[in-house]
Amino acid sequence: MNIQAKKLPKVSLVGAGPGDPELITLKAVKALQSADAVLYDALVNEELVGYAPASAVRLFVGKRAGRHSYRQEEINKLIVEHAYHYGHVVRLKGGDPFIFGRGQEEMDYVKSFGIDVEVIPGISSSHAVPAINNIPLTARGMSDSFWVITGTTSGGKVSNDLYYAAQSNATVIILMGMNKLKEIMGIFSRFQKDETPVAIIQNGSLPNQKMGIGTVSSITSIAREKRLGSPAIIVIGEVVKVAQKEEFMATILEQLEKKS
């Protein structure tokens, strides 16, 4: 690795939030404003990179499931190289760096070079996107807890935790699960959850957001009809009924407006 110090190296692992550029923390904005270099992912809203000084180096490293511009090992090396060469590196990651963001791997690698690392949490899509769409993850009499699970493990298989989650009454939020949707619903069906409500929200918090609501038994066909795909989150549980009521009322109001 060609590393030649010019400024005191420092790395900030920063969560960019779920997509809406206004859903970023003030601390994250301040880190960007002091950045000498910004390495950002595919799921990061590019408006946020504009907070960095005009002189800051900007590098798109484009990590997205199945379509990686750089391997994780390459990104790790780039972070260190840029820190030694430029100084303060902001590693801008979608959502929260420590929720399926491989932030811990990047932190450990950078620290192994003796470089100072700070972690600035971000608003995770796992709870923000349901909230934006009026889906509470916990609600009295409906759900006492929630699980956040990856739909696809590093080995390309569904997580074993889904089998345990499917047996609980908790709300289940699945990230990176659209490629395994049919298989995931099959797991819940195996535990007599066919009629459990399910919501799929694509591009949550963005203007081009799309949502489909159904049940464990129907959501796969609904996703196909609505052409729902990644990036999306899957919410399974009785709490989805809250959004169903909102959707029903919106439809009624729309019909009344047309009649008038």
Side-chain angles (χ1 to χ4, degrees), residues 103-118:
Q104 174 259 326
E105 295 175 38
E106 294 177 3
M107 178 183 70
D108 289 348
Y109 185 85
V110 172
K111 281 187 173 182
S112 72
F113 286 84
I115 298 173
D116 183 43
V117 181
E118 70 168 339

Side-chain angles (χ1 to χ4, degrees), residues 26-260:
L26 179 59
K27 191 176 183 71
V29 170
K30 288 180 177 179
L32 283 163
Q33 289 172 337
S34 68
D36 298 304
V38 181
L39 277 65
Y40 62 102
D41 284 344
L43 295 180
V44 168
N45 193 310
E46 292 202 25
E47 284 187 38
L48 299 177
V49 183
Y51 283 115
S55 59
V57 172
R58 293 158 167 80
L59 180 63
F60 172 71
V61 291
K63 280 176 64 61
R64 180 173 283 182
R67 291 178 291 177
H68 294 179
S69 294
Y70 292 90
R71 297 191 308 273
Q72 185 62 52
E73 294 77 11
E74 293 173 320
I75 293 172
N76 293 346
K77 291 178 181 178
L78 284 168
I79 295 170
V80 171
E81 288 174 351
H82 279 68
Y84 273 111
H85 192 74
Y86 296 105
H88 181 202
V89 171
V90 168
R91 174 70 175 103
L92 192 59
K93 304 172 74 67
D96 180 275
F98 279 6
I99 299 180
F100 304 123
R102 304 188 77 168
Q104 174 259 326
E105 295 175 38
E106 294 177 3
M107 178 183 70
D108 289 348
Y109 185 85
V110 172
K111 281 187 173 182
S112 72
F113 286 84
I115 298 173
D116 183 43
V117 181
E118 70 168 339
V119 178
I120 300 177
I123 298 174
S124 172
S125 64
S126 61
H127 60 82
V129 170
I132 290 167
N133 290 280
N134 303 308
I135 301 175
L137 298 188
T138 61
R140 189 177 298 181
M142 298 177 79
S143 175
D144 296 331
S145 62
F146 61 90
W147 297 55
V148 180
I149 305 174
T150 180
T152 309
T153 66
S154 58
K157 299 180 180 180
V158 297
S159 171
N160 285 331
D161 286 351
L162 284 166
Y163 292 91
Y164 299 106
Q167 298 176 67
S168 77
N169 292 319
T171 305
V172 182
I173 304 97
I174 302 168
L175 308 183
M176 300 173 289
M178 289 304 290
N179 290 335
K180 300 283 187 181
L181 181 61
K182 186 176 181 179
E183 186 176 351
I184 291 168
M185 292 306 116
I187 292 171
F188 280 78
S189 179
R190 191 179 306 177
F191 294 100
Q192 292 77 51
K193 295 293 183 70
D194 283 342
E195 299 307 311
T196 301
V198 181
I200 295 176
I201 309 164
Q202 179 182 338
N203 295 320
S205 82
L206 295 173
N208 62 339
Q209 174 183 287
K210 294 167 64 178
M211 181 165 68
I213 296 179
T215 62
V216 165
S217 62
S218 67
I219 196 64
T220 302
S221 60
I222 290 171
R224 192 182 308 115
E225 290 166 11
K226 289 182 173 284
R227 297 183 179 179
L228 297 172
S230 299
I233 73 165
I234 304 164
V235 185
I236 306 171
E238 295 300 314
V239 292
V240 174
K241 288 179 179 177
V242 178
Q244 284 178 310
K245 291 177 184 176
E246 295 284 342
E247 188 178 50
F248 175 75
M249 290 303 298
T251 302
I252 295 297
L253 289 171
E254 185 179 344
Q255 289 173 348
L256 290 173
E257 286 175 4
K258 286 180 180 178
K259 287 180 181 179
S260 61

